[in-house]
Amino acid sequence: MKKRNTLLALALTFGMTVGLAACGSGSEKKNDASKESSDAAVSKVANKDKPLVWFNRQPSNSSTGELDKTALSFNKDTYYVGFDAAQGAEVQGTMIKEYIEKNIDKIDRNGDGIIGYVLAIGDVGHNDSIARTIGVRKVLGTGVEKGKSINSEPIGTNIDGKSKIVKDGTIKVKGKSYKIRELASQEMKNNSGATWDAATAGNAIGTWASSFADQIDVIASNNDGMGMSIFNSWSKDNKVPTFGYDANNDAVAAIPEGYGGTVSQHADVQAYLTLRILRNALDGVDIDTGIGKKDDAGNVLSSDVYTYNKDQRSYYALNVAVTAQNYKDFSDSTKVYEPVSYQLDKTKSPEKKVWLNIYNSSDNFLGSTYQPLLQAYDDLLNLKVEYIAGDGQTESNITNRLGNPSEYDAFAINMVKTDNGASYTSILSQ
């Protein structure tokens, strides 16, 4: 009887073990099947249908500025994120004009009645650079109409005021009239072809200063990278105010040292929008979620920091002047924007993989401000982002590293040249 009970117990134990093993095997198969199903769900999404955000460089014709609607509407989940270039350009121009008016008693260094300025142009074919050049010339009254806009071409030198590309402006302060003259301007492009080049700007101010130093009263730059190179090379020691754009940390810190001012293009908002749009598209929710409409975590943007143009499929951050009066409020350009700093729930927004490139690894704004912000937001938005750094010169340096787009769920693209949208969409269409 005892032997029988022992055999029965063994049989029951064996049966339970087999049953449990079978259950375990079934569970493992179920999990494997679930994983395969999930992988299949991703792989079934064609690359041409995956979310795409162009950022910082808006797809457009570099000669005319006309938007590339084909690239901007590549698929239903394609958008552009940047900033309001025209509004920001006028902010910069107005900041310079107000500085001149406030400091009129000392700004005319040689007392000739002409407020002379030089202009560092980033990229003659970049819409943002074009807008900033136009903004300065428009507000200072030095712009000459060309077609439906103001001529944004570099002038070379214009010491005698006879250029046909620009004209002398006038400003009246305390009952006295002064001329405003663009003495010189050039595209800051190095020998390798990289634009917005800081080293080139530093060399340019040296050349200009050796030719007409005491006539330079103000310096305007399309960005802070070039502006700070000019400031450190010459204008700081000569106490000539330099005005840049981007509100980079080093530029903001230099304001109490004599840097005239800069413009915040709300990089914190731009970086958030770049990844938030992808997140919303991947989650299949309203594209306005966490942007104009509060999400479950509480993230939302107010209408005074961004605008959306439906026809252009473009989100634009708004700009703010940063001067001696408010620079302390902008001391950390890599701090996330508080209203959109809340972590998303991973059960509702599971981790997804994003391919994102920075067109130039040495670009001060993108490398020191924009990318650190993106890296802060990618965690909050549960996105695993692979960051690709370009050389700032050739599109192929970037596109060659988009060899297997099927590995990614979404893409964020920062082109070298605004004309080259097709270089990327052709890869995603294969």
Side-chain angles (χ1 to χ4, degrees):
M1 187 71 174
K2 185 175 181 181
K3 183 178 180 180
R4 182 181 175 187
N5 287 342
T6 300
L7 290 172
L8 180 60
L10 287 170
L12 288 171
T13 301
F14 177 76
M16 288 177 68
T17 302
V18 171
L20 287 171
C23 288
S25 176
S27 176
E28 287 167 8
K29 287 181 180 178
K30 185 176 180 181
N31 288 338
D32 287 344
S34 176
K35 183 177 184 300
E36 288 173 4
S37 175
S38 175
D39 291 343
V42 172
S43 63
K44 284 180 181 178
V45 178
N47 294 322
K48 66 180 180 63
D49 297 323
K50 293 176 180 178
L52 165 62
V53 167
W54 307 98
F55 71 96
N56 184 254
R57 285 165 139 67
Q58 192 170 29
S60 57
N61 185 303
S62 62
S63 298
T64 65
E66 181 182 1
L67 296 186
D68 181 352
K69 292 295 184 66
T70 301
L72 287 165
S73 57
F74 176 62
N75 61 34
K76 67 180 180 64
D77 292 321
T78 298
Y79 296 88
Y80 170 73
V81 171
F83 65 100
D84 191 327
Q87 179 255 352
E90 293 217 16
V91 167
Q92 186 185 36
T94 300
M95 177 174 57
I96 296 171
K97 183 183 178 184
E98 290 178 348
Y99 184 95
I100 292 172
E101 291 172 338
K102 186 176 180 180
N103 296 277
I104 197 65
D105 294 333
K106 61 181 180 180
I107 200 166
D108 184 7
R109 297 199 306 141
N110 65 357
D112 63 356
I114 300 173
I115 310 302
Y117 73 92
V118 296
L119 174 63
I121 295 174
D123 180 344
V124 294
H126 192 302
N127 275 357
D128 294 344
S129 187
I130 291 169
R132 293 172 198 179
T133 297
I134 289 174
V136 168
R137 290 176 177 172
K138 179 181 178 181
V139 176
L140 297 183
T142 57
V144 171
E145 289 187 7
K146 182 180 180 181
K148 296 181 180 179
S149 187
I150 288 175
N151 197 330
S152 63
E153 298 170 31
I155 63 171
T157 56
N158 178 44
I159 303 173
D160 57 8
K162 294 182 178 180
S163 172
K164 302 299 182 184
I165 296 174
V166 294
K167 64 182 180 181
D168 284 352
T170 58
I171 187 170
K172 192 171 183 178
V173 186
K174 298 180 180 179
K176 183 178 179 180
S177 292
Y178 298 83
K179 286 183 180 179
I180 298 183
R181 178 174 297 167
E182 186 170 312
L183 298 169
S185 58
Q186 75 174 64
E187 180 184 38
M188 299 306 166
K189 184 176 183 178
N190 69 21
N191 293 332
S192 299
T195 53
W196 304 85
D197 189 63
T200 302
N203 292 332
I205 191 61
T207 301
W208 291 334
S210 66
S211 299
F212 44 90
D214 67 347
Q215 293 176 260
I216 303 174
D217 302 310
V218 179
I219 295 164
S221 175
N222 281 175
N223 77 354
D224 281 332
M226 299 182 299
M228 281 300 293
S229 181
I230 290 171
F231 181 70
N232 290 324
S233 298
W234 184 80
S235 69
K236 179 180 179 180
D237 290 341
N238 289 275
K239 295 181 170 47
V240 175
T242 297
F243 294 86
Y245 205 112
D246 288 337
N248 290 342
N249 282 345
D250 59 343
V252 174
I255 289 177
E257 299 175 3
Y259 196 71
T262 182
V263 178
S264 168
Q265 51 176 283
H266 261 307
D268 49 2
V269 173
Q270 288 187 64
Y272 173 75
L273 286 168
T274 298
L275 296 181
R276 182 72 211 214
I277 291 165
L278 296 179
R279 178 77 266 176
N280 289 345
L282 289 167
D283 290 346
V285 299
D286 186 337
I287 201 66
D288 201 36
T289 302
I291 300 175
K293 181 174 65 176
K294 187 178 291 188
D295 66 16
D296 292 342
N299 297 299
V300 67
L301 293 172
S302 55
S303 59
D304 61 340
V305 296
Y306 85 101
T307 185
Y308 175 62
N309 187 310
K310 184 177 180 181
D311 293 337
Q312 298 176 0
R313 296 185 65 79
S314 297
Y315 284 84
Y316 301 108
L318 299 180
N319 305 264
V320 181
V322 182
T323 65
Q325 284 68 50
N326 67 346
Y327 75 93
K328 291 181 181 178
D329 297 335
F330 297 85
S331 58
D332 184 1
S333 63
T334 61
K335 182 181 178 182
V336 298
Y337 191 52
E338 183 65 30
V340 287
S341 60
Y342 306 110
Q343 180 74 50
L344 295 192
D345 184 343
K346 284 191 175 182
T347 63
K348 296 179 181 178
S349 298
E351 184 178 274
K352 297 290 183 179
K353 193 172 181 181
V354 175
W355 187 95
L356 181 152
N357 82 281
I358 300 294
Y359 94 100
N360 187 353
S361 60
S362 64
D363 183 272
N364 189 267
F365 169 66
L366 291 169
S368 301
T369 299
Y370 211 101
Q371 185 168 332
L373 284 165
L374 289 169
Q375 290 170 323
Y377 286 122
D378 63 19
D379 288 335
L380 294 174
L381 297 173
N382 305 326
L383 294 174
K384 185 178 181 181
V385 180
E386 182 172 343
Y387 294 92
I388 306 296
D391 62 7
Q393 301 166 33
T394 56
E395 219 72 59
S396 60
N397 181 263
I398 300 167
T399 56
N400 286 344
R401 286 179 280 173
L402 187 52
N404 190 5
S406 297
E407 291 183 4
Y408 305 92
D409 300 296
F411 309 91
I413 295 173
N414 175 218
M415 297 174 287
V416 173
K417 291 294 183 184
T418 60
D419 305 87
N420 292 337
S423 298
Y424 298 87
T425 56
S426 61
I427 295 173
L428 299 180
S429 298
Q430 293 174 5

PDB file of all heavy atoms in Angstrom, residues 368-397:
ATOM      1  N   SER A 368      25.383  73.034 -28.731  1.00  0.00           N
ATOM      2  CA  SER A 368      25.450  73.438 -27.324  1.00  0.00           C
ATOM      3  C   SER A 368      24.102  73.746 -26.697  1.00  0.00           C
ATOM      4  O   SER A 368      23.970  73.764 -25.473  1.00  0.00           O
ATOM      5  CB  SER A 368      26.359  74.674 -27.180  1.00  0.00           C
ATOM      6  OG  SER A 368      27.654  74.394 -27.640  1.00  0.00           O
ATOM      7  N   THR A 369      23.103  74.014 -27.531  1.00  0.00           N
ATOM      8  CA  THR A 369      21.784  74.371 -27.007  1.00  0.00           C
ATOM      9  C   THR A 369      20.703  73.373 -27.428  1.00  0.00           C
ATOM     10  O   THR A 369      20.026  72.781 -26.594  1.00  0.00           O
ATOM     11  CB  THR A 369      21.390  75.789 -27.477  1.00  0.00           C
ATOM     12  OG1 THR A 369      22.343  76.730 -26.981  1.00  0.00           O
ATOM     13  CG2 THR A 369      20.012  76.170 -26.956  1.00  0.00           C
ATOM     14  N   TYR A 370      20.557  73.177 -28.733  1.00  0.00           N
ATOM     15  CA  TYR A 370      19.438  72.380 -29.241  1.00  0.00           C
ATOM     16  C   TYR A 370      19.551  70.902 -28.862  1.00  0.00           C
ATOM     17  O   TYR A 370      18.592  70.316 -28.343  1.00  0.00           O
ATOM     18  CB  TYR A 370      19.364  72.524 -30.757  1.00  0.00           C
ATOM     19  CG  TYR A 370      17.971  72.419 -31.335  1.00  0.00           C
ATOM     20  CD1 TYR A 370      17.265  73.556 -31.704  1.00  0.00           C
ATOM     21  CD2 TYR A 370      17.362  71.178 -31.536  1.00  0.00           C
ATOM     22  CE1 TYR A 370      15.992  73.470 -32.253  1.00  0.00           C
ATOM     23  CE2 TYR A 370      16.095  71.088 -32.081  1.00  0.00           C
ATOM     24  CZ  TYR A 370      15.410  72.231 -32.442  1.00  0.00           C
ATOM     25  OH  TYR A 370      14.151  72.141 -32.983  1.00  0.00           O
ATOM     26  N   GLN A 371      20.705  70.296 -29.121  1.00  0.00           N
ATOM     27  CA  GLN A 371      20.832  68.870 -28.837  1.00  0.00           C
ATOM     28  C   GLN A 371      20.707  68.544 -27.348  1.00  0.00           C
ATOM     29  O   GLN A 371      20.024  67.570 -26.992  1.00  0.00           O
ATOM     30  CB  GLN A 371      22.144  68.307 -29.393  1.00  0.00           C
ATOM     31  CG  GLN A 371      22.245  66.792 -29.223  1.00  0.00           C
ATOM     32  CD  GLN A 371      23.382  66.174 -30.006  1.00  0.00           C
ATOM     33  OE1 GLN A 371      23.799  66.684 -31.034  1.00  0.00           O
ATOM     34  NE2 GLN A 371      23.901  65.059 -29.512  1.00  0.00           N
ATOM     35  N   PRO A 372      21.320  69.321 -26.447  1.00  0.00           N
ATOM     36  CA  PRO A 372      21.098  69.033 -25.021  1.00  0.00           C
ATOM     37  C   PRO A 372      19.621  69.101 -24.630  1.00  0.00           C
ATOM     38  O   PRO A 372      19.162  68.320 -23.792  1.00  0.00           O
ATOM     39  CB  PRO A 372      21.910  70.125 -24.321  1.00  0.00           C
ATOM     40  CG  PRO A 372      23.012  70.439 -25.284  1.00  0.00           C
ATOM     41  CD  PRO A 372      22.354  70.354 -26.638  1.00  0.00           C
ATOM     42  N   LEU A 373      18.886  70.002 -25.251  1.00  0.00           N
ATOM     43  CA  LEU A 373      17.451  70.085 -24.978  1.00  0.00           C
ATOM     44  C   LEU A 373      16.726  68.846 -25.516  1.00  0.00           C
ATOM     45  O   LEU A 373      15.867  68.270 -24.847  1.00  0.00           O
ATOM     46  CB  LEU A 373      16.865  71.353 -25.605  1.00  0.00           C
ATOM     47  CG  LEU A 373      17.168  72.657 -24.865  1.00  0.00           C
ATOM     48  CD1 LEU A 373      16.872  73.868 -25.746  1.00  0.00           C
ATOM     49  CD2 LEU A 373      16.358  72.743 -23.568  1.00  0.00           C
ATOM     50  N   LEU A 374      17.076  68.440 -26.723  1.00  0.00           N
ATOM     51  CA  LEU A 374      16.485  67.227 -27.293  1.00  0.00           C
ATOM     52  C   LEU A 374      16.750  66.025 -26.389  1.00  0.00           C
ATOM     53  O   LEU A 374      15.864  65.193 -26.149  1.00  0.00           O
ATOM     54  CB  LEU A 374      17.076  66.958 -28.679  1.00  0.00           C
ATOM     55  CG  LEU A 374      16.677  67.887 -29.820  1.00  0.00           C
ATOM     56  CD1 LEU A 374      17.554  67.640 -31.045  1.00  0.00           C
ATOM     57  CD2 LEU A 374      15.208  67.723 -30.189  1.00  0.00           C
ATOM     58  N   GLN A 375      17.963  65.947 -25.866  1.00  0.00           N
ATOM     59  CA  GLN A 375      18.335  64.816 -25.016  1.00  0.00           C
ATOM     60  C   GLN A 375      17.598  64.832 -23.681  1.00  0.00           C
ATOM     61  O   GLN A 375      17.421  63.778 -23.060  1.00  0.00           O
ATOM     62  CB  GLN A 375      19.848  64.808 -24.811  1.00  0.00           C
ATOM     63  CG  GLN A 375      20.600  64.443 -26.087  1.00  0.00           C
ATOM     64  CD  GLN A 375      22.103  64.646 -25.989  1.00  0.00           C
ATOM     65  OE1 GLN A 375      22.562  65.602 -25.355  1.00  0.00           O
ATOM     66  NE2 GLN A 375      22.871  63.783 -26.615  1.00  0.00           N
ATOM     67  N   ALA A 376      17.172  65.999 -23.253  1.00  0.00           N
ATOM     68  CA  ALA A 376      16.350  66.079 -22.036  1.00  0.00           C
ATOM     69  C   ALA A 376      14.918  65.655 -22.330  1.00  0.00           C
ATOM     70  O   ALA A 376      14.301  64.913 -21.558  1.00  0.00           O
ATOM     71  CB  ALA A 376      16.380  67.500 -21.485  1.00  0.00           C
ATOM     72  N   TYR A 377      14.407  66.108 -23.466  1.00  0.00           N
ATOM     73  CA  TYR A 377      13.024  65.787 -23.818  1.00  0.00           C
ATOM     74  C   TYR A 377      12.848  64.340 -24.269  1.00  0.00           C
ATOM     75  O   TYR A 377      11.766  63.767 -24.088  1.00  0.00           O
ATOM     76  CB  TYR A 377      12.518  66.719 -24.915  1.00  0.00           C
ATOM     77  CG  TYR A 377      12.223  68.129 -24.458  1.00  0.00           C
ATOM     78  CD1 TYR A 377      12.866  69.218 -25.035  1.00  0.00           C
ATOM     79  CD2 TYR A 377      11.289  68.377 -23.451  1.00  0.00           C
ATOM     80  CE1 TYR A 377      12.597  70.514 -24.632  1.00  0.00           C
ATOM     81  CE2 TYR A 377      11.006  69.669 -23.037  1.00  0.00           C
ATOM     82  CZ  TYR A 377      11.666  70.736 -23.631  1.00  0.00           C
ATOM     83  OH  TYR A 377      11.397  72.018 -23.218  1.00  0.00           O
ATOM     84  N   ASP A 378      13.875  63.729 -24.870  1.00  0.00           N
ATOM     85  CA  ASP A 378      13.658  62.361 -25.361  1.00  0.00           C
ATOM     86  C   ASP A 378      13.332  61.409 -24.219  1.00  0.00           C
ATOM     87  O   ASP A 378      12.508  60.491 -24.367  1.00  0.00           O
ATOM     88  CB  ASP A 378      14.822  61.866 -26.236  1.00  0.00           C
ATOM     89  CG  ASP A 378      16.165  61.758 -25.518  1.00  0.00           C
ATOM     90  OD1 ASP A 378      16.197  61.717 -24.274  1.00  0.00           O
ATOM     91  OD2 ASP A 378      17.203  61.717 -26.221  1.00  0.00           O
ATOM     92  N   ASP A 379      13.940  61.627 -23.053  1.00  0.00           N
ATOM     93  CA  ASP A 379      13.610  60.809 -21.885  1.00  0.00           C
ATOM     94  C   ASP A 379      12.176  61.055 -21.423  1.00  0.00           C
ATOM     95  O   ASP A 379      11.438  60.116 -21.108  1.00  0.00           O
ATOM     96  CB  ASP A 379      14.571  61.107 -20.732  1.00  0.00           C
ATOM     97  CG  ASP A 379      15.965  60.545 -20.973  1.00  0.00           C
ATOM     98  OD1 ASP A 379      16.079  59.575 -21.732  1.00  0.00           O
ATOM     99  OD2 ASP A 379      16.928  61.097 -20.423  1.00  0.00           O
ATOM    100  N   LEU A 380      11.794  62.321 -21.363  1.00  0.00           N
ATOM    101  CA  LEU A 380      10.445  62.664 -20.902  1.00  0.00           C
ATOM    102  C   LEU A 380       9.369  62.111 -21.826  1.00  0.00           C
ATOM    103  O   LEU A 380       8.260  61.786 -21.394  1.00  0.00           O
ATOM    104  CB  LEU A 380      10.301  64.190 -20.809  1.00  0.00           C
ATOM    105  CG  LEU A 380      11.166  64.898 -19.755  1.00  0.00           C
ATOM    106  CD1 LEU A 380      11.036  66.409 -19.888  1.00  0.00           C
ATOM    107  CD2 LEU A 380      10.772  64.451 -18.347  1.00  0.00           C
ATOM    108  N   LEU A 381       9.702  61.981 -23.108  1.00  0.00           N
ATOM    109  CA  LEU A 381       8.728  61.527 -24.107  1.00  0.00           C
ATOM    110  C   LEU A 381       8.897  60.051 -24.460  1.00  0.00           C
ATOM    111  O   LEU A 381       8.256  59.556 -25.391  1.00  0.00           O
ATOM    112  CB  LEU A 381       8.849  62.384 -25.370  1.00  0.00           C
ATOM    113  CG  LEU A 381       8.524  63.873 -25.187  1.00  0.00           C
ATOM    114  CD1 LEU A 381       8.853  64.655 -26.457  1.00  0.00           C
ATOM    115  CD2 LEU A 381       7.067  64.074 -24.813  1.00  0.00           C
ATOM    116  N   ASN A 382       9.765  59.358 -23.725  1.00  0.00           N
ATOM    117  CA  ASN A 382       9.986  57.916 -23.927  1.00  0.00           C
ATOM    118  C   ASN A 382      10.429  57.590 -25.352  1.00  0.00           C
ATOM    119  O   ASN A 382       9.945  56.639 -25.973  1.00  0.00           O
ATOM    120  CB  ASN A 382       8.714  57.117 -23.579  1.00  0.00           C
ATOM    121  CG  ASN A 382       8.207  57.393 -22.182  1.00  0.00           C
ATOM    122  OD1 ASN A 382       8.999  57.627 -21.279  1.00  0.00           O
ATOM    123  ND2 ASN A 382       6.901  57.392 -21.995  1.00  0.00           N
ATOM    124  N   LEU A 383      11.359  58.374 -25.851  1.00  0.00           N
ATOM    125  CA  LEU A 383      11.887  58.149 -27.194  1.00  0.00           C
ATOM    126  C   LEU A 383      13.369  57.802 -27.104  1.00  0.00           C
ATOM    127  O   LEU A 383      14.136  58.492 -26.422  1.00  0.00           O
ATOM    128  CB  LEU A 383      11.700  59.390 -28.064  1.00  0.00           C
ATOM    129  CG  LEU A 383      10.252  59.776 -28.374  1.00  0.00           C
ATOM    130  CD1 LEU A 383      10.194  61.110 -29.110  1.00  0.00           C
ATOM    131  CD2 LEU A 383       9.552  58.687 -29.189  1.00  0.00           C
ATOM    132  N   LYS A 384      13.754  56.742 -27.774  1.00  0.00           N
ATOM    133  CA  LYS A 384      15.159  56.366 -27.849  1.00  0.00           C
ATOM    134  C   LYS A 384      15.715  56.959 -29.138  1.00  0.00           C
ATOM    135  O   LYS A 384      15.445  56.459 -30.234  1.00  0.00           O
ATOM    136  CB  LYS A 384      15.301  54.847 -27.846  1.00  0.00           C
ATOM    137  CG  LYS A 384      16.743  54.368 -27.803  1.00  0.00           C
ATOM    138  CD  LYS A 384      16.806  52.845 -27.746  1.00  0.00           C
ATOM    139  CE  LYS A 384      18.264  52.371 -27.688  1.00  0.00           C
ATOM    140  NZ  LYS A 384      18.333  50.874 -27.661  1.00  0.00           N
ATOM    141  N   VAL A 385      16.460  58.033 -28.999  1.00  0.00           N
ATOM    142  CA  VAL A 385      16.923  58.782 -30.164  1.00  0.00           C
ATOM    143  C   VAL A 385      18.386  58.475 -30.471  1.00  0.00           C
ATOM    144  O   VAL A 385      19.235  58.512 -29.584  1.00  0.00           O
ATOM    145  CB  VAL A 385      16.753  60.304 -29.949  1.00  0.00           C
ATOM    146  CG1 VAL A 385      17.239  61.077 -31.175  1.00  0.00           C
ATOM    147  CG2 VAL A 385      15.296  60.643 -29.648  1.00  0.00           C
ATOM    148  N   GLU A 386      18.653  58.175 -31.731  1.00  0.00           N
ATOM    149  CA  GLU A 386      20.031  58.026 -32.191  1.00  0.00           C
ATOM    150  C   GLU A 386      20.435  59.340 -32.860  1.00  0.00           C
ATOM    151  O   GLU A 386      19.822  59.757 -33.840  1.00  0.00           O
ATOM    152  CB  GLU A 386      20.165  56.875 -33.183  1.00  0.00           C
ATOM    153  CG  GLU A 386      21.594  56.658 -33.632  1.00  0.00           C
ATOM    154  CD  GLU A 386      21.787  55.401 -34.465  1.00  0.00           C
ATOM    155  OE1 GLU A 386      20.888  54.526 -34.433  1.00  0.00           O
ATOM    156  OE2 GLU A 386      22.813  55.292 -35.143  1.00  0.00           O
ATOM    157  N   TYR A 387      21.441  60.003 -32.302  1.00  0.00           N
ATOM    158  CA  TYR A 387      21.871  61.309 -32.796  1.00  0.00           C
ATOM    159  C   TYR A 387      23.024  61.152 -33.782  1.00  0.00           C
ATOM    160  O   TYR A 387      24.055  60.561 -33.465  1.00  0.00           O
ATOM    161  CB  TYR A 387      22.285  62.215 -31.630  1.00  0.00           C
ATOM    162  CG  TYR A 387      21.119  62.584 -30.726  1.00  0.00           C
ATOM    163  CD1 TYR A 387      20.819  61.809 -29.602  1.00  0.00           C
ATOM    164  CD2 TYR A 387      20.312  63.668 -31.019  1.00  0.00           C
ATOM    165  CE1 TYR A 387      19.739  62.133 -28.781  1.00  0.00           C
ATOM    166  CE2 TYR A 387      19.227  63.993 -30.209  1.00  0.00           C
ATOM    167  CZ  TYR A 387      18.945  63.225 -29.089  1.00  0.00           C
ATOM    168  OH  TYR A 387      17.873  63.545 -28.285  1.00  0.00           O
ATOM    169  N   ILE A 388      22.840  61.693 -34.973  1.00  0.00           N
ATOM    170  CA  ILE A 388      23.832  61.624 -36.039  1.00  0.00           C
ATOM    171  C   ILE A 388      24.400  63.020 -36.269  1.00  0.00           C
ATOM    172  O   ILE A 388      23.642  63.965 -36.512  1.00  0.00           O
ATOM    173  CB  ILE A 388      23.203  61.110 -37.353  1.00  0.00           C
ATOM    174  CG1 ILE A 388      22.478  59.772 -37.129  1.00  0.00           C
ATOM    175  CG2 ILE A 388      24.260  61.004 -38.442  1.00  0.00           C
ATOM    176  CD1 ILE A 388      23.362  58.635 -36.710  1.00  0.00           C
ATOM    177  N   ALA A 389      25.725  63.162 -36.198  1.00  0.00           N
ATOM    178  CA  ALA A 389      26.359  64.475 -36.372  1.00  0.00           C
ATOM    179  C   ALA A 389      26.979  64.579 -37.761  1.00  0.00           C
ATOM    180  O   ALA A 389      27.803  63.748 -38.150  1.00  0.00           O
ATOM    181  CB  ALA A 389      27.430  64.685 -35.311  1.00  0.00           C
ATOM    182  N   GLY A 390      26.583  65.613 -38.519  1.00  0.00           N
ATOM    183  CA  GLY A 390      27.116  65.827 -39.850  1.00  0.00           C
ATOM    184  C   GLY A 390      28.333  66.734 -39.849  1.00  0.00           C
ATOM    185  O   GLY A 390      28.731  67.266 -38.812  1.00  0.00           O
ATOM    186  N   ASP A 391      28.916  66.935 -41.049  1.00  0.00           N
ATOM    187  CA  ASP A 391      30.113  67.770 -41.149  1.00  0.00           C
ATOM    188  C   ASP A 391      29.792  69.201 -41.569  1.00  0.00           C
ATOM    189  O   ASP A 391      30.687  70.030 -41.699  1.00  0.00           O
ATOM    190  CB  ASP A 391      31.122  67.156 -42.125  1.00  0.00           C
ATOM    191  CG  ASP A 391      30.592  67.041 -43.548  1.00  0.00           C
ATOM    192  OD1 ASP A 391      29.480  67.547 -43.833  1.00  0.00           O
ATOM    193  OD2 ASP A 391      31.288  66.439 -44.390  1.00  0.00           O
ATOM    194  N   GLY A 392      28.504  69.499 -41.797  1.00  0.00           N
ATOM    195  CA  GLY A 392      28.095  70.853 -42.156  1.00  0.00           C
ATOM    196  C   GLY A 392      28.366  71.209 -43.604  1.00  0.00           C
ATOM    197  O   GLY A 392      28.113  72.343 -44.024  1.00  0.00           O
ATOM    198  N   GLN A 393      28.872  70.270 -44.398  1.00  0.00           N
ATOM    199  CA  GLN A 393      29.273  70.572 -45.763  1.00  0.00           C
ATOM    200  C   GLN A 393      28.561  69.728 -46.810  1.00  0.00           C
ATOM    201  O   GLN A 393      28.120  70.246 -47.823  1.00  0.00           O
ATOM    202  CB  GLN A 393      30.793  70.367 -45.902  1.00  0.00           C
ATOM    203  CG  GLN A 393      31.612  71.238 -44.962  1.00  0.00           C
ATOM    204  CD  GLN A 393      33.052  70.775 -44.878  1.00  0.00           C
ATOM    205  OE1 GLN A 393      33.612  70.284 -45.842  1.00  0.00           O
ATOM    206  NE2 GLN A 393      33.661  70.924 -43.706  1.00  0.00           N
ATOM    207  N   THR A 394      28.458  68.428 -46.570  1.00  0.00           N
ATOM    208  CA  THR A 394      27.891  67.541 -47.580  1.00  0.00           C
ATOM    209  C   THR A 394      26.712  66.753 -47.033  1.00  0.00           C
ATOM    210  O   THR A 394      26.770  66.224 -45.920  1.00  0.00           O
ATOM    211  CB  THR A 394      28.952  66.553 -48.094  1.00  0.00           C
ATOM    212  OG1 THR A 394      29.489  65.826 -46.987  1.00  0.00           O
ATOM    213  CG2 THR A 394      30.077  67.293 -48.805  1.00  0.00           C
ATOM    214  N   GLU A 395      25.666  66.668 -47.837  1.00  0.00           N
ATOM    215  CA  GLU A 395      24.471  65.929 -47.436  1.00  0.00           C
ATOM    216  C   GLU A 395      24.788  64.441 -47.300  1.00  0.00           C
ATOM    217  O   GLU A 395      24.276  63.752 -46.413  1.00  0.00           O
ATOM    218  CB  GLU A 395      23.371  66.139 -48.476  1.00  0.00           C
ATOM    219  CG  GLU A 395      21.993  66.300 -47.888  1.00  0.00           C
ATOM    220  CD  GLU A 395      21.784  67.645 -47.180  1.00  0.00           C
ATOM    221  OE1 GLU A 395      21.934  68.686 -47.832  1.00  0.00           O
ATOM    222  OE2 GLU A 395      21.440  67.630 -45.989  1.00  0.00           O
ATOM    223  N   SER A 396      25.671  63.921 -48.168  1.00  0.00           N
ATOM    224  CA  SER A 396      25.972  62.489 -48.158  1.00  0.00           C
ATOM    225  C   SER A 396      26.634  62.047 -46.866  1.00  0.00           C
ATOM    226  O   SER A 396      26.532  60.886 -46.468  1.00  0.00           O
ATOM    227  CB  SER A 396      26.863  62.125 -49.350  1.00  0.00           C
ATOM    228  OG  SER A 396      28.086  62.826 -49.299  1.00  0.00           O
ATOM    229  N   ASN A 397      27.315  62.972 -46.182  1.00  0.00           N
ATOM    230  CA  ASN A 397      27.920  62.654 -44.897  1.00  0.00           C
ATOM    231  C   ASN A 397      26.867  62.216 -43.895  1.00  0.00           C
ATOM    232  O   ASN A 397      27.144  61.462 -42.961  1.00  0.00           O
ATOM    233  CB  ASN A 397      28.690  63.871 -44.372  1.00  0.00           C
ATOM    234  CG  ASN A 397      29.383  63.611 -43.040  1.00  0.00           C
ATOM    235  OD1 ASN A 397      28.846  63.946 -41.989  1.00  0.00           O
ATOM    236  ND2 ASN A 397      30.553  62.999 -43.093  1.00  0.00           N
TER     237      ASN A 397
END
